[in-house]
PDB file of all heavy atoms in Angstrom:
ATOM      1  N   THR A  85     104.418  75.946  72.355  1.00 92.00           N
ATOM      2  CA  THR A  85     105.081  76.600  73.494  1.00 92.00           C
ATOM      3  C   THR A  85     104.672  78.052  73.707  1.00 92.00           C
ATOM      4  O   THR A  85     104.943  78.601  74.771  1.00 92.00           O
ATOM      5  CB  THR A  85     106.610  76.579  73.306  1.00 92.00           C
ATOM      6  OG1 THR A  85     106.952  77.318  72.127  1.00 92.00           O
ATOM      7  CG2 THR A  85     107.127  75.155  73.179  1.00 92.00           C
ATOM      8  N   GLN A  86     104.051  78.705  72.726  1.00 93.00           N
ATOM      9  CA  GLN A  86     103.816  80.144  72.831  1.00 93.00           C
ATOM     10  C   GLN A  86     102.357  80.527  72.595  1.00 93.00           C
ATOM     11  O   GLN A  86     102.040  81.299  71.688  1.00 93.00           O
ATOM     12  CB  GLN A  86     104.713  80.880  71.824  1.00 93.00           C
ATOM     13  CG  GLN A  86     106.193  80.599  71.942  1.00 93.00           C
ATOM     14  CD  GLN A  86     106.764  81.020  73.283  1.00 93.00           C
ATOM     15  OE1 GLN A  86     106.321  82.002  73.879  1.00 93.00           O
ATOM     16  NE2 GLN A  86     107.752  80.281  73.770  1.00 93.00           N
ATOM     17  N   PRO A  87     101.412  80.016  73.396  1.00 94.00           N
ATOM     18  CA  PRO A  87     100.014  80.400  73.195  1.00 94.00           C
ATOM     19  C   PRO A  87      99.744  81.862  73.534  1.00 94.00           C
ATOM     20  O   PRO A  87      98.835  82.472  72.961  1.00 94.00           O
ATOM     21  CB  PRO A  87      99.251  79.459  74.128  1.00 94.00           C
ATOM     22  CG  PRO A  87     100.256  79.082  75.180  1.00 94.00           C
ATOM     23  CD  PRO A  87     101.575  79.038  74.471  1.00 94.00           C
ATOM     24  N   ASN A  88     100.517  82.399  74.466  1.00 93.00           N
ATOM     25  CA  ASN A  88     100.347  83.824  74.757  1.00 93.00           C
ATOM     26  C   ASN A  88     100.782  84.657  73.550  1.00 93.00           C
ATOM     27  O   ASN A  88     101.780  84.349  72.903  1.00 93.00           O
ATOM     28  CB  ASN A  88     101.177  84.220  75.981  1.00 93.00           C
ATOM     29  CG  ASN A  88     100.724  85.533  76.585  1.00 93.00           C
ATOM     30  OD1 ASN A  88      99.564  85.916  76.478  1.00 93.00           O
ATOM     31  ND2 ASN A  88     101.638  86.229  77.230  1.00 93.00           N
ATOM     32  N   MET A  89     100.015  85.677  73.225  1.00 95.00           N
ATOM     33  CA  MET A  89     100.276  86.541  72.068  1.00 95.00           C
ATOM     34  C   MET A  89      99.995  85.833  70.739  1.00 95.00           C
ATOM     35  O   MET A  89     100.497  86.240  69.688  1.00 95.00           O
ATOM     36  CB  MET A  89     101.715  87.070  72.082  1.00 95.00           C
ATOM     37  CG  MET A  89     102.006  88.022  73.221  1.00 95.00           C
ATOM     38  SD  MET A  89     103.735  88.570  73.307  1.00 95.00           S
ATOM     39  CE  MET A  89     104.041  89.119  71.648  1.00 95.00           C
ATOM     40  N   ALA A  90      99.173  84.785  70.759  1.00 96.00           N
ATOM     41  CA  ALA A  90      98.905  84.001  69.552  1.00 96.00           C
ATOM     42  C   ALA A  90      98.398  84.864  68.403  1.00 96.00           C
ATOM     43  O   ALA A  90      98.924  84.804  67.278  1.00 96.00           O
ATOM     44  CB  ALA A  90      97.894  82.893  69.861  1.00 96.00           C
ATOM     45  N   LEU A  91      97.378  85.663  68.664  1.00 97.00           N
ATOM     46  CA  LEU A  91      96.807  86.496  67.602  1.00 97.00           C
ATOM     47  C   LEU A  91      97.824  87.493  67.080  1.00 97.00           C
ATOM     48  O   LEU A  91      97.912  87.745  65.865  1.00 97.00           O
ATOM     49  CB  LEU A  91      95.567  87.233  68.128  1.00 97.00           C
ATOM     50  CG  LEU A  91      94.889  88.182  67.134  1.00 97.00           C
ATOM     51  CD1 LEU A  91      94.351  87.418  65.928  1.00 97.00           C
ATOM     52  CD2 LEU A  91      93.771  88.973  67.817  1.00 97.00           C
ATOM     53  N   TYR A  92      98.630  88.055  67.963  1.00 98.00           N
ATOM     54  CA  TYR A  92      99.626  89.032  67.543  1.00 98.00           C
ATOM     55  C   TYR A  92     100.659  88.406  66.620  1.00 98.00           C
ATOM     56  O   TYR A  92     101.045  89.002  65.608  1.00 98.00           O
ATOM     57  CB  TYR A  92     100.315  89.637  68.765  1.00 98.00           C
ATOM     58  CG  TYR A  92     101.392  90.633  68.406  1.00 98.00           C
ATOM     59  CD1 TYR A  92     101.047  91.909  67.969  1.00 98.00           C
ATOM     60  CD2 TYR A  92     102.730  90.295  68.474  1.00 98.00           C
ATOM     61  CE1 TYR A  92     102.026  92.827  67.619  1.00 98.00           C
ATOM     62  CE2 TYR A  92     103.710  91.201  68.134  1.00 98.00           C
ATOM     63  CZ  TYR A  92     103.351  92.468  67.708  1.00 98.00           C
ATOM     64  OH  TYR A  92     104.327  93.366  67.346  1.00 98.00           O
ATOM     65  N   TYR A  93     101.127  87.201  66.949  1.00 98.00           N
ATOM     66  CA  TYR A  93     102.100  86.534  66.081  1.00 98.00           C
ATOM     67  C   TYR A  93     101.536  86.310  64.680  1.00 98.00           C
ATOM     68  O   TYR A  93     102.237  86.490  63.680  1.00 98.00           O
ATOM     69  CB  TYR A  93     102.524  85.196  66.680  1.00 98.00           C
ATOM     70  CG  TYR A  93     103.375  85.310  67.923  1.00 98.00           C
ATOM     71  CD1 TYR A  93     103.177  84.459  69.006  1.00 98.00           C
ATOM     72  CD2 TYR A  93     104.384  86.262  68.019  1.00 98.00           C
ATOM     73  CE1 TYR A  93     103.959  84.553  70.150  1.00 98.00           C
ATOM     74  CE2 TYR A  93     105.167  86.363  69.151  1.00 98.00           C
ATOM     75  CZ  TYR A  93     104.949  85.510  70.218  1.00 98.00           C
ATOM     76  OH  TYR A  93     105.728  85.617  71.348  1.00 98.00           O
ATOM     77  N   LEU A  94     100.269  85.925  64.613  1.00 98.00           N
ATOM     78  CA  LEU A  94      99.655  85.689  63.309  1.00 98.00           C
ATOM     79  C   LEU A  94      99.520  86.986  62.519  1.00 98.00           C
ATOM     80  O   LEU A  94      99.837  87.041  61.315  1.00 98.00           O
ATOM     81  CB  LEU A  94      98.285  85.034  63.489  1.00 98.00           C
ATOM     82  CG  LEU A  94      98.306  83.579  63.988  1.00 98.00           C
ATOM     83  CD1 LEU A  94      96.897  83.121  64.326  1.00 98.00           C
ATOM     84  CD2 LEU A  94      98.941  82.662  62.958  1.00 98.00           C
ATOM     85  N   LEU A  95      99.040  88.033  63.169  1.00 98.00           N
ATOM     86  CA  LEU A  95      98.898  89.319  62.477  1.00 98.00           C
ATOM     87  C   LEU A  95     100.253  89.866  62.047  1.00 98.00           C
ATOM     88  O   LEU A  95     100.392  90.401  60.930  1.00 98.00           O
ATOM     89  CB  LEU A  95      98.177  90.322  63.379  1.00 98.00           C
ATOM     90  CG  LEU A  95      96.713  90.008  63.696  1.00 98.00           C
ATOM     91  CD1 LEU A  95      96.130  91.074  64.609  1.00 98.00           C
ATOM     92  CD2 LEU A  95      95.887  89.895  62.425  1.00 98.00           C
ATOM     93  N   LEU A  96     101.263  89.739  62.912  1.00 98.00           N
ATOM     94  CA  LEU A  96     102.605  90.209  62.555  1.00 98.00           C
ATOM     95  C   LEU A  96     103.165  89.390  61.392  1.00 98.00           C
ATOM     96  O   LEU A  96     103.854  89.943  60.516  1.00 98.00           O
ATOM     97  CB  LEU A  96     103.529  90.123  63.765  1.00 98.00           C
ATOM     98  CG  LEU A  96     104.940  90.704  63.584  1.00 98.00           C
ATOM     99  CD1 LEU A  96     104.881  92.182  63.227  1.00 98.00           C
ATOM    100  CD2 LEU A  96     105.778  90.489  64.849  1.00 98.00           C
ATOM    101  N   HIS A  97     102.862  88.102  61.358  1.00 98.00           N
ATOM    102  CA  HIS A  97     103.306  87.247  60.254  1.00 98.00           C
ATOM    103  C   HIS A  97     102.762  87.775  58.920  1.00 98.00           C
ATOM    104  O   HIS A  97     103.527  87.935  57.956  1.00 98.00           O
ATOM    105  CB  HIS A  97     102.826  85.816  60.491  1.00 98.00           C
ATOM    106  CG  HIS A  97     103.004  84.912  59.308  1.00 98.00           C
ATOM    107  ND1 HIS A  97     104.204  84.279  59.025  1.00 98.00           N
ATOM    108  CD2 HIS A  97     102.139  84.551  58.309  1.00 98.00           C
ATOM    109  CE1 HIS A  97     104.064  83.572  57.925  1.00 98.00           C
ATOM    110  NE2 HIS A  97     102.832  83.706  57.465  1.00 98.00           N
ATOM    111  N   PHE A  98     101.469  88.049  58.870  1.00 98.00           N
ATOM    112  CA  PHE A  98     100.869  88.520  57.620  1.00 98.00           C
ATOM    113  C   PHE A  98     101.338  89.944  57.286  1.00 98.00           C
ATOM    114  O   PHE A  98     101.522  90.283  56.117  1.00 98.00           O
ATOM    115  CB  PHE A  98      99.346  88.456  57.709  1.00 98.00           C
ATOM    116  CG  PHE A  98      98.813  87.058  57.735  1.00 98.00           C
ATOM    117  CD1 PHE A  98      98.156  86.561  58.861  1.00 98.00           C
ATOM    118  CD2 PHE A  98      98.987  86.207  56.657  1.00 98.00           C
ATOM    119  CE1 PHE A  98      97.666  85.264  58.891  1.00 98.00           C
ATOM    120  CE2 PHE A  98      98.507  84.902  56.673  1.00 98.00           C
ATOM    121  CZ  PHE A  98      97.855  84.429  57.802  1.00 98.00           C
ATOM    122  N   TRP A  99     101.544  90.758  58.313  1.00 98.00           N
ATOM    123  CA  TRP A  99     102.053  92.112  58.089  1.00 98.00           C
ATOM    124  C   TRP A  99     103.447  92.059  57.453  1.00 98.00           C
ATOM    125  O   TRP A  99     103.728  92.782  56.488  1.00 98.00           O
ATOM    126  CB  TRP A  99     102.100  92.875  59.412  1.00 98.00           C
ATOM    127  CG  TRP A  99     102.875  94.162  59.376  1.00 98.00           C
ATOM    128  CD1 TRP A  99     104.104  94.403  59.918  1.00 98.00           C
ATOM    129  CD2 TRP A  99     102.477  95.392  58.748  1.00 98.00           C
ATOM    130  NE1 TRP A  99     104.496  95.681  59.687  1.00 98.00           N
ATOM    131  CE2 TRP A  99     103.523  96.329  58.971  1.00 98.00           C
ATOM    132  CE3 TRP A  99     101.353  95.800  58.049  1.00 98.00           C
ATOM    133  CZ2 TRP A  99     103.469  97.633  58.497  1.00 98.00           C
ATOM    134  CZ3 TRP A  99     101.293  97.098  57.573  1.00 98.00           C
ATOM    135  CH2 TRP A  99     102.339  97.995  57.794  1.00 98.00           C
TER     136      TRP A  99
END
Side-chain angles (χ1 to χ4, degrees):
T85 62
Q86 304 298 327
N88 198 28
M89 293 176 51
L91 178 63
Y92 178 76
Y93 290 139
L94 290 171
L95 293 179
L96 185 60
H97 169 83
F98 291 115
W99 167 254

